[in-house]
Amino acid sequence: MSDTTRVALVTGASGGIGRAVAQRLAADGMAVAVHYAGNKAAADETVAAIEEAHGRAIAVTGDVADEAAMAEAFDAVERAFGGIDVVVHTAGVMLLGPVVEFDLDALDRMHRTNIRGTFVVAQQAARRVRGGGAVVTFSTSVTRLAFPGYAAYAAGKGAVEAMTLVLARELRGRDITVNAVAPGPTATPLFLEGKDQEAVDRLAAQSPLERLGTPDDIAEAVAFLAGPGRWVNGQVVFANGGIA
């Protein structure tokens, strides 16, 4: 690997949007660490797909909300590739339900992953990402769309947006950009689960482009922020086809 090769760590990269992001960054010439929480086989599939396309990748694991586990994951990336230039944090949990009956234990579990997990990964990124690098977190367009049933999830993503914008300013002088991507309805297994075709069609029709987003659509936005988009900093980029 050339000393000029950029290195990316993508959390939650064993499937869905995370996998698309990992593969896209690898296609852009980065060496990629594919992070997973529990599904090693799926992460290995992502690594294999990158290697088959003549890219360079490894798999790393760890609970994103566990600071020791994530420190070891970052250590593993640095041992393998010599440093870290880009951190993309896609890992998250989505539990839905109305406020009036939402289970508070479920709220705590989701916020542990989505809020604390983002903070832990951002903290490691702030300590380790090299100058010229980028940090990309994940919010959701539901923070603006306010779909019923999404209050607990959107609340956590609002916290992600807040910490992302603050971190961008805290890294002043280090030539590191920090942004959040906020996808709209995107055709992933997580999103489609439990929805009938009528519900899917209704959501697809909301965009002026009249379709759901794809993981590749979201990966395009991340690739811009992780690569040429150096003058975009401290922003929430809504990748939703024009819904909001």
Side-chain angles (χ1 to χ4, degrees):
M1 185 177 67
S2 167
D3 289 339
T4 61
T5 299
R6 300 180 80 215
V7 177
L9 167 61
V10 182
T11 69
S14 58
I17 291 172
R19 174 176 287 183
V21 168
Q23 290 180 291
R24 173 55 197 268
L25 296 183
D28 286 348
M30 297 188 196
V32 179
V34 173
H35 165 271
Y36 67 97
N39 195 338
K40 183 178 186 301
D44 288 342
E45 289 173 7
T46 305
V47 170
I50 291 170
E51 291 178 339
E52 287 169 10
H54 308 293
R56 183 106 179 257
I58 62 169
V60 297
T61 190
D63 174 2
V64 293
D66 182 329
E67 62 270 33
M70 290 315 298
E72 173 52 35
F74 275 73
D75 286 346
V77 180
E78 291 176 335
R79 286 194 299 268
F81 296 132
I84 301 175
D85 302 285
V86 173
V87 173
V88 183
H89 181 55
T90 77
V93 175
M94 183 169 66
L95 303 174
L96 305 180
V99 170
V100 69
E101 60 187 36
F102 202 87
D103 180 78
L104 295 182
D105 288 337
L107 178 76
D108 290 343
R109 290 196 305 273
M110 180 165 61
H111 284 183
R112 181 181 185 275
T113 296
N114 293 359
I115 299 177
R116 180 187 169 96
T118 300
F119 198 97
V120 167
V121 171
Q123 185 176 71
Q124 288 295 324
R127 293 171 177 172
R128 306 194 193 219
V129 169
R130 297 183 286 204
V135 178
V136 182
T137 64
F138 264 70
S139 180
T140 172
S141 289
V142 179
T143 57
R144 305 296 188 273
L145 298 173
F147 290 156
Y150 282 78
Y153 178 69
K157 292 302 187 178
V160 168
E161 291 186 11
M163 70 179 78
T164 300
L165 304 190
V166 170
L167 182 60
R169 287 149 182 82
E170 290 183 349
L171 296 186
R172 172 183 292 274
R174 290 184 48 193
D175 191 24
I176 297 169
T177 62
V178 187
N179 295 286
V181 172
T186 304
T188 65
L190 177 67
F191 175 79
L192 296 172
E193 182 180 356
K195 294 182 175 69
D196 59 26
Q197 191 59 47
E198 180 182 356
V200 171
D201 291 343
R202 185 173 63 253
L203 288 165
Q206 291 190 358
S207 165
L209 300 179
E210 297 188 330
R211 66 174 177 84
L212 293 177
T214 68
D216 287 341
D217 289 325
I218 310 306
E220 289 280 350
V222 173
F224 173 72
L225 295 173
R230 299 301 303 166
W231 198 235
V232 180
N233 188 30
Q235 304 298 318
V236 179
V237 177
F238 287 85
N240 59 28
I243 295 176

